[in-house]
Amino acid sequence: MTIYRRDMLKAGIAVGAGMMLVPASTRCQESAANEELNVGVIGIGLQGRSLINAALKMAGVRFRAACDIWEFSQRYAEYYLANYGHKVNTYADYREMLDKEPGLDAVIVASPDFVHAEQVNASLKAGRHVYCEPMMSNTVDGARSMVRTMQETGKLLQVGYQRRSNPRYLHAYGKLLQEANLLGRIGNVNTQWVFALDDDRGWPRRNVIPDDVLRKNGYADMRQFRNWRWFKKYSGGLFGNLGGHQLDVVNWFLGATPTSVAATGGGRYDPATQWHKNVMAMFEYEPAQGPVQAFCQMLTDTRADGSGAHERFLGTNGSLTISQNPRWTAIYRDPEAPEWDDLVALDYLQTKEQERVRKSERKASDVAETGIVETYRLPVELDNPVVYPHLLNFFEAVRGKTELNCPADVAFRTDVVAFKTVEAIAARKTLEIPSGE
Amino acid sequence: MGTAFHVDVVADDRNYARQAASACFEVLENIDRDLSRFVESSDISRINHLRRGASTVVTLHTFRCLQVAEQMKRETGGAFDVAFASHGHPRRADHPFRGFELVAASRSVRVLADSLQLDLGGIGKGYALDVMASQLREWDLSSARLRASTSTILATEPPPESAGWPLDFGPEHDRRRVMLRRAAISGSGTRVKGHHVIDPRSGRPAANVVRCWACAPTAAVADALSTALMVMKPDEIRALCRRQRSVSAFVLPTEGSSLQSYSGTRQVK
């Protein structure tokens, strides 16, 4: 039986064991009585704004302070949040924000990678819980220091590998892979993130940051400030920034980190100072179920390849292609694999009626035809921005209601692999990844 | 939004203009993510999943676009209604359907009907053009023409030594030329998608006209109005243009007939 979300809401029926369709908006209403959390945000660029928008949808989150070295962004935050009745104080220096805002419970860090370590460590030491965008840092030492500070202070540090809280991914991991062993033995994983490079990001002429302010904050000039993700000085690498999200899913779903990496990377800019624009990396895993090879590619030539960003797991019983975009999510059953009808009955999977084949025909022996690969869908929707569940998980953990889905020590294992991939590209050979990290 | 957007901008620096246009497209992506009913995690999808009485906070773009939509619903006497697809819509002009309300203090949307289905296809493109134009103003680029496919076009200040951005519209046998400045023009019709515009007041496809164009100070209003014109009666159009002096309407009742103009205004000469 297929239960459609609308029907469920109307009927008000309980959520079944296999369903994770409780709309976030309902959860939001349920937590209306939550204690109010005072929040500051450091870094009000694209991702910072996205996180602000997600947090504004949550009951009991009150923005009190916003920090960015760009006055233009400070004004944006002040204006935007005022529309929602949040009066914030704005700062150019995060240290001043931490000093003058003793009432903050939590800080969201969405600044460039190279300042994450100092901003996160200072916030944790000042007694605030922190949500930090990945990568954790542009250096492995910086990332390691964040794990240590989290452990020493006892404060929470959630790293924004947001797929860890996405209900579609949680369903695939918990119900399909862990509980039902849907794919059988997984032998191969491939991930891809395909997008198109745009022009360098610019800025309105009248909103230039003075040179002395840029230099004081570590930036060479306005262009590098606006395009920091491309420069080795500020960023842990585009592969880590984007592909890291996917590496994290592979690590999570396999329950392991890779033992080795071989990779190649290309770029059309100066390779000495700027990051690779295309990366292809191969990883070897040795999880308990048996060896797995993974191939991860990040390509920047076009966004018109029709399949966007996804992770694909191939096992003896079929394959799972999963993405933040439901359009690119699908599950295929191998013709020789056991039936999945029981999983459909449990609402662990959905299948389109038109794709069903009559069982009598399917069970008949026919050597003249190739077996039919059936397509299934995940019966899970996310009716909020993709950053919402992970940020909500953080705030609920701050309230003591749950555990973090991606604490810094877990994210660190992913970041180590991303850093090792960059080393492998430079070394042009296969590198071992020590398990000790 | 399922259509191609174009930005033409007058600037003294090509690279600066390209970067400004890129900033516009970045904003456009965000708006699409908020307003598209085809995006699972959009504000509109979330609203469409809410039960009667429930509410949700939305982004400022969603809130403002819905504000304009509500204003246009009032102005057109219900001929434009972003909730037209809702199950249970009464389809009666004397019984206006109120599917949601906007709560300004929290920038949220409260659902007032069962099975509310919002569809911003008749206003979202125009709203996006307005926001993109304001983005260009922030970059001190005052002269630009922004297009959502060929259906909605917004002009800011004209190019140097020009009265406006030239634009032709109308049927082949009755072409009109507009020198567009600080205004938008939007067209609707049956030639590409057939009779696809539903009259919210009757539930039936529009049959009054085959093509129409609306000119207004903003692209959102022009976009919404061009949809409404497809189902409005001549008296209603005349009354609307009388009330809103900045609005012009052009209607082609049948292929081959002459273009009917309502209320010549400052934008159209």
Side-chain angles (χ1 to χ4, degrees):
Chain A
M1 179 181 70
T2 301
I3 297 176
Y4 290 100
R5 196 167 172 285
R6 164 80 70 187
D7 299 332
M8 253 183 49
L9 295 179
K10 271 183 177 171
I13 62 174
V15 175
M19 302 294 288
M20 302 179 65
L21 301 179
V22 179
S25 42
T26 305
R27 293 195 299 272
C28 183
Q29 288 155 7
E30 284 167 356
S31 61
N34 281 332
E35 63 171 292
E36 188 164 273
L37 296 177
N38 295 314
V39 177
V41 56
I42 303 173
I44 308 154
L46 269 187
Q47 194 60 17
R49 294 174 192 199
S50 171
L51 290 164
I52 286 172
N53 265 321
L56 285 170
K57 298 180 194 302
M58 299 172 194
V61 173
R62 171 68 50 176
F63 283 97
R64 298 289 184 190
C67 174
D68 198 291
I69 69 162
W70 200 8
E71 194 186 336
F72 181 62
S73 292
Q74 291 174 34
R75 285 202 308 270
Y76 172 88
E78 188 173 24
Y79 167 78
Y80 196 87
L81 288 165
N83 271 281
Y84 292 82
H86 295 222
K87 184 177 181 335
V88 296
N89 299 317
T90 57
Y91 300 90
D93 188 327
Y94 73 92
R95 288 163 287 234
E96 187 185 356
M97 184 185 90
L98 292 174
D99 283 346
K100 291 188 174 173
E101 302 284 346
L104 293 183
D105 299 297
V107 173
I108 294 170
V109 174
S111 50
D113 298 348
F114 80 117
V115 283
H116 282 179
E118 65 172 88
Q119 292 173 347
V120 167
N121 289 337
S123 299
L124 292 170
K125 286 174 182 171
R128 280 56 178 249
H129 303 289
V130 178
Y131 181 102
C132 179
E133 273 298 304
M135 297 182 66
M136 293 173 69
S137 171
N138 64 328
T139 67
V140 73
D141 287 341
R144 190 183 289 112
S145 77
M146 293 159 72
V147 178
R148 286 192 178 135
T149 308
M150 175 188 77
Q151 291 166 341
E152 286 164 9
T153 60
K155 293 295 170 184
L156 300 177
L157 172 53
Q158 171 101 307
V159 177
Y161 286 123
Q162 62 206 32
R163 287 161 178 74
R164 294 246 180 195
S165 301
N166 185 308
R168 188 175 292 110
Y169 283 77
L170 286 166
H171 180 87
Y173 175 71
K175 300 296 181 190
L176 301 184
L177 299 187
Q178 292 289 298
E179 193 179 320
N181 190 27
L182 185 82
L183 302 180
R185 194 183 68 75
I186 296 172
N188 181 272
V189 183
N190 58 70
T191 75
Q192 72 161 40
W193 193 309
V194 175
F195 68 106
L197 282 183
D198 295 320
D199 295 327
D200 272 2
R201 298 164 69 85
W203 57 94
R205 280 175 183 147
R206 63 178 131 124
N207 289 306
V208 174
I209 302 175
D211 284 345
D212 60 322
V213 175
L214 284 168
R215 281 195 292 274
K216 180 183 153 196
N217 286 281
Y219 297 96
D221 54 33
M222 196 68 188
R223 174 174 172 256
Q224 292 196 11
F225 168 72
R226 290 288 287 147
N227 299 280
W228 62 268
R229 212 180 285 276
W230 296 111
F231 293 89
K232 292 183 175 177
K233 182 180 176 186
Y234 315 108
S235 155
L238 198 63
F239 177 71
N241 269 264
L242 301 179
H245 285 278
Q246 299 184 302
L247 265 178
D248 189 60
V249 172
V250 182
N251 292 353
W252 173 28
F253 280 18
L254 294 180
T257 51
T259 55
S260 71
V261 55
T264 179
R268 66 186 190 201
Y269 295 133
D270 177 4
T273 57
Q274 296 185 322
W275 282 117
H276 315 102
K277 304 299 182 290
N278 293 306
V279 171
M280 295 178 172
M282 290 182 290
F283 302 93
E284 291 180 313
Y285 284 80
E286 293 176 5
Q289 58 117 57
V292 178
Q293 282 79 46
F295 172 64
C296 302
Q297 60 177 346
M298 183 203 71
L299 308 174
T300 61
D301 299 305
T302 178
R303 57 170 62 90
D305 87 315
S307 57
H310 65 250
E311 302 88 45
R312 178 173 295 137
F313 295 78
L314 295 98
T316 49
N317 290 344
S319 70
L320 160 70
T321 303
I322 191 162
S323 169
Q324 290 191 124
N325 187 334
R327 191 162 26 118
W328 296 324
T329 299
I331 304 140
Y332 302 95
R333 189 181 67 82
D334 189 281
E336 304 301 319
E339 301 282 349
W340 289 347
D341 291 358
D342 56 334
L343 299 176
V344 174
L346 283 168
D347 290 316
Y348 282 20
L349 290 172
Q350 277 184 344
T351 181
K352 287 190 281 187
E353 284 300 313
Q354 63 268 33
E355 289 174 349
R356 283 185 171 276
V357 179
R358 289 205 312 272
K359 285 192 175 181
S360 57
E361 288 180 6
R362 208 167 44 190
K363 286 176 179 170
S365 178
D366 187 345
V367 293
E369 292 186 18
T370 304
I372 293 165
V373 176
E374 286 187 281
T375 308
Y376 295 82
R377 306 284 176 201
L378 293 179
V380 184
E381 288 183 19
L382 172 60
D383 61 357
N384 253 308
V386 290
V387 298
Y388 180 99
H390 204 50
L391 194 55
L392 183 67
N393 167 254
F394 169 66
F395 288 129
E396 291 295 82
V398 170
R399 292 188 176 105
K401 295 182 176 179
T402 188
E403 301 287 319
L404 289 181
N405 285 342
C406 191
D409 52 325
V410 171
F412 181 65
R413 291 180 203 126
T414 292
D415 281 16
V416 165
V417 177
F419 286 123
K420 210 67 179 176
T421 304
V422 171
E423 273 183 57
I425 293 171
R428 304 182 77 82
K429 62 181 183 184
T430 302
L431 297 182
E432 303 296 317
I433 301 176
S435 58
E437 287 285 13
Chain B
M1 298 197 189
T3 195
F5 282 71
H6 302 264
V7 175
D8 301 301
V9 60
V10 178
D12 55 13
D13 181 333
R14 185 182 177 83
N15 191 45
Y16 187 72
R18 285 181 66 87
Q19 289 178 336
S22 291
C24 287
F25 287 114
E26 207 167 86
V27 170
L28 176 64
E29 274 186 38
N30 286 336
I31 293 173
D32 186 46
R33 210 173 294 148
D34 294 340
L35 302 188
S36 173
R37 67 193 170 96
F38 300 109
V39 174
E40 179 194 62
S41 54
S42 74
D43 280 340
I44 296 304
S45 292
R46 194 168 60 262
I47 293 167
N48 286 346
H49 283 141
L50 290 180
R51 290 166 292 186
R52 179 201 288 263
S55 62
T56 181
V57 175
V58 296
T59 67
L60 214 44
H61 286 313
T62 306
F63 193 83
R64 286 177 174 164
C65 189
L66 288 173
Q67 278 183 315
V68 181
E70 285 291 86
Q71 176 202 336
M72 292 310 296
K73 182 181 173 183
R74 287 192 297 274
E75 293 288 352
T76 61
F80 179 79
D81 187 351
V82 291
F84 73 93
S86 303
H87 181 69
H89 197 299
R91 316 289 181 209
R92 286 169 51 192
D94 61 344
H95 192 287
F97 176 72
R98 188 144 190 251
F100 66 94
E101 68 176 349
L102 298 171
V103 184
S106 56
R107 295 292 189 257
S108 59
V109 177
R110 183 186 305 282
V111 173
L112 303 176
D114 293 322
S115 303
L116 176 68
Q117 285 299 304
L118 297 185
D119 179 350
L120 303 192
I123 192 169
K125 293 189 293 293
Y127 176 80
L129 291 179
D130 290 331
V131 176
M132 291 165 77
S134 72
Q135 184 80 10
L136 290 177
R137 280 193 288 275
E138 204 156 61
W139 286 61
D140 294 318
L141 296 171
S142 58
S143 176
R145 178 181 61 182
L146 304 100
R147 293 176 287 155
S149 181
T150 53
S151 66
T152 305
I153 299 175
L154 170 68
T156 58
E157 295 297 333
E161 300 174 18
S162 170
W165 293 84
L167 177 74
D168 295 332
F169 71 100
E172 288 67 20
H173 60 274
D174 192 4
R175 299 292 283 169
R176 307 289 175 95
R177 167 152 290 202
V178 182
M179 298 301 285
L180 205 63
R181 59 181 296 181
R182 280 179 275 166
I185 188 161
S186 182
S188 290
T190 58
R191 291 206 307 179
V192 177
K193 294 183 181 175
H195 290 277
H196 69 291
V197 177
I198 303 295
D199 187 344
R201 300 171 299 187
S202 69
R204 289 192 291 273
N208 290 355
V209 300
V210 290
R211 294 159 77 184
C212 64
W213 293 264
C215 191
T218 69
V221 170
D223 194 6
L225 190 54
S226 72
T227 303
L229 289 176
M230 293 292 292
V231 303
M232 291 173 76
K233 296 182 175 66
D235 286 350
E236 293 177 307
I237 301 173
R238 200 170 292 116
L240 171 68
C241 293
R242 206 174 293 130
R243 284 196 310 276
Q244 298 295 329
R245 302 297 295 174
S246 59
V247 162
S248 300
F250 304 86
V251 170
L252 189 68
T254 58
E255 293 294 351
S257 63
S258 50
L259 199 58
Q260 296 178 358
S261 307
Y262 295 83
S263 182
T265 69
R266 62 186 172 84
Q267 289 95 5
V268 183
K269 292 186 173 61

